[in-house]
Amino acid sequence: MDYMDLKLPNHLGIIMDGNGRWATSRGLSRSEGHREGARNLKSLLSYIFDKGIFCVSLYAFSTENNKRDKKEVDYLMKLFMKLFKEEFSFLKDLDVKVVFSGRIHFLPSDVWSAASFLEEETKMCKSGILNICLNYGGQYEIVDMVKKISLDVMEGRIMASDITKEVVLENLYQNLPPLDFVIRTSGEKRTSNFMIYQAAYAEYYFPETYFPDFSEKEFDLAILEYNKRKRRFGGN
Ligand code: FPP
């Protein structure tokens, strides 16, 4: 598809839902669904950054995902580790800086260190940002921000009366531009605690397709839909 005259979101969010259902509908294990999701993600990210989108946030693992079967959580942790250590180097070639959001220090230390490795590897990249939400919850992000600002107030670095939206932003996990467009695959129409502060004025799109099948063509359709939306930010 020709992207020449299309408006692109500056910050795109993707809630990669439906890996499990994709797999069970084929008689495969849920883990195989995640493996296919990861395979799809790699090619989709190359396509998205190539089209000129600057910032992408991914919902990879929520704080609530820890309640899943141990076998599935263990598989996901191994998958993340492998991706960060061995398979996401293409992001550096695309000049994309990788950052993480979430309570990452509660994850197994080898996942945490693989994430830090990728962050370190790409920290000089300037053409794009990939924000990976890992062990992430939007409400916890707000709780953690309140704790940080409270400490600054208590220790005299800022006065409570000087707290603004900018101060709040600076104290979230990452200081990113506002989300413009959020895609949640698999037909579920919920926001599920994903970047709730940053998505205040985002447009949402809920395609039926399960994430492993969410192809470049499907992404083109999403962008066409984004171009039909009239964003008013509360004005007329
Ligand atoms: C939701 O599908 C998906 C996840 C919890 C994991 C997403 C992870 C990947 C795509 C792997 C690679 C990602 C990164 C960023 C390294 P689900 O299991 O909830 O599906 P279901 O609703 O059909 O059960």
Side-chain angles (χ1 to χ4, degrees), residues 9-13 49 52-57 128-131 176-177 179:
N10 179 50
H11 187 178
L12 165 75
F49 283 116
I53 290 181
F54 177 67
C55 185
V56 179
S57 286
I129 299 175
L130 178 67
N131 171 43
L176 298 171
L179 272 164

Side-chain angles (χ1 to χ4, degrees), residues 11-132:
H11 187 178
L12 165 75
I14 310 180
I15 304 177
M16 305 174 288
D17 200 6
N19 291 348
R21 278 165 286 161
W22 181 91
T24 43
S25 69
R26 285 167 174 73
L28 303 170
S29 70
R30 295 179 55 82
S31 298
E32 284 168 300
H34 295 312
R35 192 189 59 207
E36 277 309 296
R39 182 203 47 74
N40 187 44
L41 176 65
K42 280 175 61 186
S43 60
L44 198 60
L45 284 177
S46 299
Y47 188 70
I48 291 173
F49 283 116
D50 186 56
K51 293 298 177 202
I53 290 181
F54 177 67
C55 185
V56 179
S57 286
L58 298 172
Y59 208 175
F61 191 82
S62 74
T63 38
E64 288 66 36
N65 287 153
N66 282 301
K67 292 184 218 146
R68 293 187 177 193
D69 272 4
K70 186 176 177 323
K71 202 170 139 212
E72 183 176 349
V73 174
D74 286 351
Y75 179 85
L76 276 169
M77 293 303 137
K78 281 213 182 77
L79 179 65
F80 293 145
M81 215 167 57
K82 185 162 184 294
L83 292 171
F84 302 157
K85 274 217 302 239
E86 295 166 22
E87 292 187 34
F88 272 16
S89 51
F90 75 97
L91 291 162
K92 191 177 179 182
D93 302 333
L94 294 175
D95 198 32
V96 171
K97 174 174 158 171
V98 182
V99 296
F100 288 85
S101 293
R103 293 183 160 182
I104 303 195
H105 46 285
F106 289 132
L107 292 174
S109 62
D110 38 10
V111 179
W112 186 38
S113 71
S116 310
F117 165 78
L118 186 60
E119 246 175 353
E120 191 61 29
E121 278 286 291
T122 58
K123 70 175 183 201
M124 303 305 276
C125 297
K126 295 250 174 334
S127 303
I129 299 175
L130 178 67
N131 171 43
I132 302 180

